[in-house]
């Protein structure tokens, strides 16, 4: 194969607090290949990418770029050398136009001023060359997620990146958009670009990669040609244990009388006189998981806020929990009725990062009898409850006094799920519950949701991860541009591509078909 | 009341708007990179005093002005040092600077003059006004445009220049990027901290000029309490503008007009109450905007902030 463009030799990174993120990692990246880096959360992928991109410096070991030693100090040096990175969380300024976002930091000038005309020309040509179908004068805030990602990729191309790092690029895309991205990536490699692809989604890794490097606990488990590795082998390399693939057995179906834990009736909400929620009606029965599939930004956030009681925008329609209308009830009152909530943004809405695990484990039911005595918190009980939950949910932490914010994403989510699970809910609202966390943690979260269901709770699962929705839901609705585009009464009998069509608005069912979601 | 809307009244508005405009620019310049400078009042006080003292020592109004500006820059940089380098809370540093400045100014004034009220005993040249040739002879237009204090023109020119810097140059675009999404700026290779320090320095210069205007151009002496909340009005104007340069200028003008109104309207026994009108106007504006925004959010016409 082609020459080596980037060579990592014996890279070790030990952080100030003694955490070893990478140990003796050797990887060679070949020019023109798509090279995937896979591994669980905390396996050291991010740190390795930060070292390549000049954000972190290795404790020992050498980075060689195009045959020369390259220990970049700061991302600017990496960018200048021809390395670009598309971050998982987009680094864009929504109120800037596409062209301004692209040229930021490397602006063409005419005298003292930005040469807007030539900037527009150059970026538009670049976009057209790669068939990105962008108008560079549009504001980024008006673009879809997939288009924003294209802006990010254009940013790297504008700076003549030869090596492009993509961190979890498909986590926000529909299956169709993912395929489009893959075609574009293939196009890049034909033009001599090298792609480093980081992902949790193994099927995508198998589909797109030329070669794959597996990281586990900061150590490289080897680089393999894609075709010499089966999916099962790859999975084993990543987690070092066979995945319990017993979701189906676990899905014992009991009947809980067909009563509804949650009913949502005719919710309409306007934003700039456009309907962001357009006559949404469905029910979650006791003892079932109702999956809400859809690309991010199609009304799911407002739907969840409305159900949970966080919505500030006026709406019409009813939210009914356990047969009682709750439109005017506060979040706390709804929680007292048995609602639990796993919020999408775990770091902001799910936990208080600076507080210990113990406080976070009881923060939504601090006034419960087993947690507080009269007006005072019972710290002994809190500590005991936390220890039990840490054990039961396999939270990796030294003890319950550790600040939650210092844990990895997967472990933070376990704390949130443990707390919500311990409220003994009869209605669980799970919003993107496994977004960006590792396979092991995601599996645990799924099991706990199914466990709740089997005990008779209704679970509303809102997720952009199609596999997740299909795997653990009993029934599925698909949201597109604020309305329910499709209703699938049997999640075990469903075609992913078919679902994708509804997610993208290609197909839409009749009101009668969708009406089935209500369980009347 | 009948002579409220005369040419003369408009010139009063211009005169009273100038310090608020400087303060507004000072607040905007810091906020554009995401820094809140709440020490504008304190910087204005110190620069007002040191302008006069510098002018007295050098017997030059221009050098006095430069010394006053230098003091503003030094205070701005010390805020940057305390909050960015030493990690102190920027708001607390600002509060400390404000309270410290008012008492320090009193002490320094006493050291130089032996008085605690004003700098009346210090012989200090001050900045004058400017009659624009040709234009000054045109009726109405001449009165409107010509014969204003020098720093009035400076404020208008700086407002224009800072607009161009912020919205038309690479530096300005990078500064705005720092304020809107520092992570995005960082990944674009921009040194966010350096630009934040720079924007604090701009802020210090604007605030200093506002203070100098009060003591060396509009007034001819430094008087205790000379700034009288105008620094805060600038911060309020910036808050009202919420990132819009046009609104910033309009807000400064509106607050200035209210001050002119308060001076012009003379109701016996209620003079002090009328004097509070501009401050009340600031208060009402902020509350009104908050209410409007809440309604917009409820109606779904605007994203939550």
């Amino acid at each position: 194969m082609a020459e080596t463009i980037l060579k990592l030799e014996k890279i070790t990174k030990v952080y100030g607090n003694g955490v070893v993120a990478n140990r003796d990692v050797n990887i060679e990246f070949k020019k023109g290949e798509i090279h995937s880096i896979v591994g669980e959360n905390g396996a050291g992928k991010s740190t390795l990418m930060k070292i390549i991109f000049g954000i972190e410096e290795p404790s020992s070991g050498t980075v060689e770029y195009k045959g020369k030693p390259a220990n970049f100090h700061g991302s600017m040096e990496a960018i200048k050398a021809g390395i670009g990175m598309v971050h998982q969380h987009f680094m864009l300024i929504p109120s800037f136009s596409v062209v301004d976002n692209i040229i930021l930091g490397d602006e063409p000038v005419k005298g003292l001023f930005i040469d807007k005309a030539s900037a527009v020309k150059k970026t538009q040509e670049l976009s057209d060359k790669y068939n990105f179908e962008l108008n560079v004068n549009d504001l980024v805030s008006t673009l879809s997620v997939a288009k924003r990602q294209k802006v990010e990729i254009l940013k790297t191309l504008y700076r003549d990146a030869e090596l492009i790092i993509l961190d979890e690029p498909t986590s926000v895309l529909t299956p169709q958009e993912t395929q489009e991205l893959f075609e574009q990536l293939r196009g890049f490699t034909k033009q001599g670009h090298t792609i480093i692809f980081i992902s949790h989604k193994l099927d995508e890794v198998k589909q797109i990669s030329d070669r794959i490097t597996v990281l586990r606990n900061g150590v490289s488990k080897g680089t393999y040609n894609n075709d010499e590795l089966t999916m099962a082998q790859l999975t084993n390399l990543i987690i070092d244990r066979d995945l319990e693939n017993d979701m189906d057995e676990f899905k014992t179906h009991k009947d809980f009388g067909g009563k509804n834990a949650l009913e949502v009736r005719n919710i309409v909400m306007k934003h700039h006189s456009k309907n962001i929620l357009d006559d949404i009606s469905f029910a979650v029965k006791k003892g079932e998981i109702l999956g809400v599939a859809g690309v991010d930004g199609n009304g799911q956030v407002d739907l969840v806020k409305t159900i949970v009681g966080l919505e500030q925008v006026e709406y019409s329609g009813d939210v009914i929990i356990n047969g009682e209308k709750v439109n005017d009830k506060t979040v706390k009152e709804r929680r007292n009725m048995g609602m639990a909530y796993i919020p999408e943004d775990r770091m902001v809405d799910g936990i208080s990062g600076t507080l210990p695990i113990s406080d976070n484990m009881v923060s939504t039911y601090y006034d419960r009898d087993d947690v507080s005595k009269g007006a005072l918190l019972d710290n002994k009980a809190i500590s005991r409850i936390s220890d039990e939950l840490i054990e039961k949910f396999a939270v990796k932490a030294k003890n319950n006094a550790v600040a939650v914010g210092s844990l990895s994403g997967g472990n933070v989510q376990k704390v949130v799920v443990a707390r919500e699970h311990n409220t003994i809910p009869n209605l669980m609202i799970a919003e993107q519950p496994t977004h960006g966390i590792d396979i092991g943690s995601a599996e645990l979260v799924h099991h706990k949701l199914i466990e709740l269901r089997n005990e008779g709770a209704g679970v509303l699962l809102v997720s952009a991860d199609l596999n997740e929705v299909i795997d653990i839901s009993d029934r599925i609705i698909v949201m597109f541009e604020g309305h329910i585009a499709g209703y699938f009464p049997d999640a075990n009998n469903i075609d992913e591509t078919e679902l994708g069509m509804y997610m993208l608005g290609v197909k839409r069912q009749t009101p009668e078909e969708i009406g089935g979601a209500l369980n009347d | 009341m009948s002579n409220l809307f005369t040419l003369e009244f408009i010139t009063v508005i211009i005169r009273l708007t100038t310090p608020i405009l400087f303060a507004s620019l000072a607040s905007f310049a810091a906020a554009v990179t995401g820094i809140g400078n709440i020490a504008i009042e304190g910087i204005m006080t110190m620069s007002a005093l040191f302008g006069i003292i510098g002018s007295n020592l050098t017997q030059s109004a221009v050098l006095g002005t430069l010394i006053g500006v230098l003091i503003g820059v030094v205070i701005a940089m010390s805020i940057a040092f305390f909050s960015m380098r030493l990690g102190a809370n920027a708001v607390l540093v600002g509060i400390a600077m404000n309270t410290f400045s008012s008492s320090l100014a009193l002490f320094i004034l006493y050291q130089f003059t032996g008085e605690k009220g004003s700098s009346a005993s210090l012989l200090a040249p001050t900045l004058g006004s400017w009659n624009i040739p040709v234009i000054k002879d045109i009726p109405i237009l001449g009165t409107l445009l010509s014969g204003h204090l020098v720093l009035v023109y400076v404020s208008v020119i700086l407002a224009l220049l800072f607009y161009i810097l912020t919205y038309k140059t690479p530096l300005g675009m990078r500064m705005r990027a720092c304020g809107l999404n520092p992570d995005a700026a960082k990944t674009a290779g921009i040194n966010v901290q350096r630009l934040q320090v720079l924007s604090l320095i701009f802020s210090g210069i604007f605030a200093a000029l506002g203070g100098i205007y009060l003591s060396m151009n509009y007034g001819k002496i430094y008087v205790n309490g000379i700034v009288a909340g105008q620094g805060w009005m600038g911060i309020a104007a910036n808050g009202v503008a919420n990132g819009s340069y046009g609104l910033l200028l309009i807000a400064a003008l509106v607050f200035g007009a209210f001050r002119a109104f308060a001076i012009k309207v003379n109701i016996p026994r209620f003079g002090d109450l009328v004097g509070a009108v501009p401050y009340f106007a600031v208060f009402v504006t902020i509350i009104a905007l908050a209410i409007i925004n809440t309604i917009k959010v409820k109606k779904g016409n605007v994203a939550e902030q």
Side-chain angles (χ1 to χ4, degrees):
Chain A
M1 215 178 158
E3 69 207 87
T4 299
I5 185 165
L6 177 73
K7 190 172 171 185
L8 305 180
E9 235 175 333
K10 293 203 151 187
I11 295 288
T12 296
K13 174 70 188 181
V14 185
Y15 281 106
N17 56 6
V19 173
V20 180
N22 295 126
R23 190 190 298 276
D24 285 336
V25 174
N26 299 307
I27 309 177
E28 279 187 33
F29 298 90
K30 308 256 185 219
K31 190 168 163 57
E33 73 170 344
I34 297 182
H35 192 136
S36 290
I37 309 280
V38 295
E40 291 195 275
N41 271 4
K45 298 182 306 248
S46 313
T47 305
L48 203 60
M49 292 309 115
K50 282 180 184 165
I51 289 171
I52 295 174
F53 200 52
I55 299 170
E56 298 275 1
E57 286 180 38
S59 310
S60 67
T62 55
V63 180
E64 221 174 74
Y65 183 66
K66 290 184 177 172
K68 287 179 203 145
N71 280 325
F72 301 121
H73 305 281
S75 50
M76 202 63 202
E77 289 185 24
I79 291 169
K80 278 197 180 127
I83 299 177
M85 180 151 177
V86 176
H87 297 262
Q88 185 181 1
H89 303 286
F90 295 158
M91 296 295 178
L92 295 172
I93 295 163
S95 55
F96 274 20
S97 62
V98 170
V99 52
D100 284 351
N101 269 287
I102 293 173
I103 65 172
L104 180 66
D106 188 14
E107 307 85 356
V109 289
K110 203 188 236 171
L112 289 171
F113 305 112
I114 296 171
D115 187 353
K116 202 61 182 270
S118 87
V120 168
K121 189 163 167 284
K122 192 176 170 194
T123 51
Q124 189 66 59
E125 279 172 7
L126 200 59
S127 166
D128 296 344
K129 181 180 160 194
Y130 291 101
N131 288 323
F132 276 8
E133 289 170 2
L134 286 167
N135 178 354
V136 298
N137 286 311
D138 285 347
L139 290 184
V140 165
S141 57
T142 65
L143 301 183
S144 68
V145 178
K147 288 206 162 165
R148 290 184 194 202
Q149 187 172 59
K150 287 178 178 162
V151 177
E152 283 282 17
I153 295 173
L154 275 183
K155 270 165 76 177
T156 68
L157 295 171
Y158 174 81
R159 288 164 174 75
D160 299 320
E162 292 170 60
L163 176 74
I164 302 174
I165 304 169
L166 295 154
D167 189 5
E168 300 279 350
T170 63
S171 60
V172 290
L173 303 180
T174 61
Q176 280 84 347
E177 286 167 342
T178 300
Q179 292 313 316
E180 194 188 332
L181 172 72
F182 283 179
E183 269 166 42
Q184 268 151 1
L185 294 185
R186 284 272 164 236
F188 294 157
T189 57
K190 284 203 186 88
Q191 303 199 21
H193 294 285
T194 309
I195 308 286
I196 301 181
F197 185 82
I198 301 168
S199 180
H200 283 117
K201 300 183 184 171
L202 297 189
D203 49 343
E204 291 176 358
V205 168
K206 282 293 288 175
Q207 192 198 334
I208 189 71
S209 313
D210 295 312
R211 296 195 305 153
I212 301 166
T213 297
V214 179
L215 290 182
R216 188 166 77 219
N217 291 330
V219 180
S220 167
K221 291 286 155 189
T223 300
Y224 303 86
N225 286 331
N226 189 2
D227 47 23
E228 65 184 30
L229 215 53
T230 65
M231 187 73 97
Q233 287 170 321
L234 185 57
T235 311
N236 281 333
L237 281 168
I238 294 171
I239 58 175
D240 195 21
R241 65 187 143 79
D242 286 313
L243 264 183
E244 300 170 56
N245 216 340
D246 60 351
M247 288 299 186
D248 291 330
E249 291 170 40
F250 206 50
K251 279 180 163 182
T252 53
H253 220 114
K254 273 182 250 169
D255 197 7
F256 290 89
K259 283 204 174 136
N260 292 334
L262 170 72
E263 265 177 75
V264 169
R265 283 188 181 270
N266 308 102
I267 298 280
V268 176
M269 185 185 295
K270 286 183 193 302
H271 186 280
H272 287 301
S273 68
K274 178 185 151 204
N275 285 355
I276 34 172
L277 290 179
D278 191 1
D279 201 13
I280 301 274
S281 299
F282 63 84
V284 181
K285 288 184 277 190
K286 289 185 191 294
E288 78 159 356
I289 298 179
L290 180 77
V292 179
V295 182
D296 281 341
N298 277 292
Q300 299 96 319
V301 169
D302 284 294
L303 175 64
V304 169
K305 279 186 173 179
T306 307
I307 295 169
V308 175
L310 289 167
E311 189 56 78
Q312 292 189 29
V313 181
E314 278 168 9
Y315 61 90
S316 62
D318 291 334
V319 179
I320 299 156
I321 294 177
N322 297 325
E324 195 179 335
K325 187 176 157 183
V326 296
N327 287 31
D328 297 325
K329 292 199 189 300
T330 63
V331 181
K332 185 68 182 163
E333 284 166 343
R334 295 180 202 205
R335 278 184 173 280
N336 288 343
M337 294 170 71
M339 182 193 79
Y341 173 43
I342 300 169
E344 174 177 7
D345 190 341
R346 65 184 78 97
M347 302 310 280
V348 173
D349 302 320
I351 55 154
S352 174
T354 52
L355 292 180
I357 295 175
S358 56
D359 287 357
N360 277 286
M361 281 290 195
V362 298
S363 56
T364 53
Y365 53 95
Y366 57 87
D367 52 354
R368 212 167 67 183
D369 285 345
D370 58 337
V371 180
S372 55
K373 283 183 197 153
L376 300 177
L377 291 173
D378 182 352
N379 281 319
K380 258 189 202 155
I382 292 173
S383 183
R384 182 177 40 75
I385 292 169
S386 308
D387 286 340
E388 286 167 13
L389 291 176
I390 286 172
E391 164 118 29
K392 202 168 143 201
F393 285 80
V395 180
K396 266 186 217 160
K398 214 161 59 187
N399 55 49
N400 69 35
V402 174
V404 170
S406 68
L407 303 180
S408 76
N411 281 306
V412 169
Q413 189 68 343
K414 285 183 194 167
V415 171
V416 175
V417 173
R419 176 185 69 217
E420 296 304 315
H421 194 272
N422 201 35
T423 64
I424 313 162
N426 48 42
L427 172 65
M428 170 65 93
I429 313 293
E431 192 179 18
Q432 317 283 6
T434 62
H435 179 76
I437 66 177
D438 56 281
I439 301 174
S441 306
E443 195 192 346
L444 183 130
V445 171
H446 288 157
H447 272 122
K448 291 297 173 186
L449 291 179
I450 292 170
E451 192 180 297
L452 278 174
R453 185 204 69 169
N454 291 347
E455 287 162 4
V459 178
L460 182 72
L461 169 70
V462 180
S463 175
D465 182 346
L466 210 46
N467 290 329
E468 169 173 84
V469 174
I470 293 176
D471 280 353
I472 72 168
S473 305
D474 299 300
R475 300 187 298 148
I476 294 174
I477 58 177
V478 182
M479 284 188 74
F480 178 73
E481 290 193 339
H483 60 256
I484 298 180
Y487 163 61
F488 299 87
D490 182 7
N492 291 325
N493 242 325
I494 218 164
D495 175 28
E496 188 171 326
T497 319
E498 172 88 359
L499 210 58
M501 303 268 230
Y502 287 94
M503 288 168 68
L504 287 170
V506 179
K507 284 191 172 180
R508 185 174 178 178
Q509 291 177 354
T510 63
E512 288 71 37
E513 289 174 287
I514 294 164
L518 250 183
N519 184 35
D520 274 333
Chain B
M1 288 293 272
S2 58
N3 63 344
L4 209 56
F5 297 99
T6 59
L7 270 183
E8 191 228 333
F9 183 60
I10 293 174
T11 59
V12 173
I13 292 177
I14 292 173
R15 232 181 293 156
L16 292 172
T17 297
T18 302
I20 299 173
L21 176 60
F22 273 126
S24 305
L25 289 172
S27 183
F28 181 88
V32 79
T33 59
I35 298 285
N37 180 11
I38 62 160
I40 293 169
E41 187 87 3
I43 295 176
M44 287 175 81
T45 305
M46 292 305 278
S47 294
L49 175 62
F50 274 92
I52 286 284
I53 291 173
S55 172
N56 167 262
L57 294 177
T58 60
Q59 285 301 310
S60 154
V62 173
L63 286 178
T65 302
L66 290 179
I67 289 169
V69 169
L70 187 70
I71 286 295
V73 171
V74 168
I75 297 176
M77 287 183 75
S78 63
I79 293 170
F81 178 75
F82 288 133
S83 62
M84 292 178 200
R85 186 60 67 83
L86 301 183
N89 180 314
V91 173
L92 293 181
V93 171
I95 291 173
M97 282 292 170
N98 284 331
T99 45
F100 180 62
S101 296
S102 59
S103 44
L104 184 67
L106 195 65
F107 172 76
I108 292 169
L109 181 67
Y110 185 70
Q111 293 304 307
F112 272 88
T113 64
E115 293 172 42
K116 287 181 178 172
S118 80
S119 69
S121 62
L122 285 184
L123 187 64
T126 54
L127 298 162
S129 17
W130 186 41
N131 290 307
I132 309 173
V134 187
I135 289 179
K136 72 176 188 320
D137 300 321
I138 305 172
I140 303 183
L141 206 61
T143 326
L144 271 180
L145 297 181
S146 177
H148 293 295
L149 299 159
V150 171
L151 285 185
V152 171
Y153 297 107
V154 171
S155 73
V156 173
I157 291 166
L158 284 182
L160 186 67
L161 286 180
F162 198 69
Y163 173 79
I164 294 170
L165 173 83
T166 310
Y167 292 95
K168 302 289 174 195
T169 69
L171 177 67
M173 186 158 114
R174 293 174 188 191
M175 283 169 56
R176 283 184 291 134
C178 293
L180 292 167
N181 186 348
D183 288 333
K186 222 178 282 169
T187 52
I190 293 166
N191 188 331
V192 176
Q193 258 204 4
R194 190 182 299 166
L195 290 193
Q196 286 177 331
V197 172
L198 182 68
S199 90
L200 264 176
I201 290 173
F202 280 129
S203 177
I205 292 171
F206 288 133
L209 285 171
I212 290 162
Y213 174 84
L214 291 174
S215 69
M216 291 181 64
N217 212 178
Y218 179 65
K220 300 297 171 197
I221 54 170
Y222 174 86
V223 185
N224 252 328
I226 191 170
V227 182
Q230 293 175 85
W232 294 111
M233 282 188 169
I235 291 171
N238 181 53
V240 168
N242 194 18
S244 154
Y245 206 79
L247 275 183
L248 180 82
L249 303 185
I250 291 170
L253 187 64
V254 168
F255 292 160
F258 270 110
R259 293 209 68 208
F261 171 79
I263 283 179
K264 205 74 184 168
V265 178
N266 202 352
I267 305 170
R269 290 183 56 212
F270 289 101
D272 288 340
L273 191 62
V274 175
V277 164
Y279 305 96
F280 190 66
V282 172
F283 181 68
V284 170
T285 316
I286 291 173
I287 300 295
L289 279 172
I291 292 171
I292 290 169
N293 197 48
T294 312
I295 293 171
K296 274 188 182 168
V297 168
K298 277 212 162 178
K299 294 254 184 253
N301 285 331
V302 72
E304 284 166 53
Q305 297 281 320

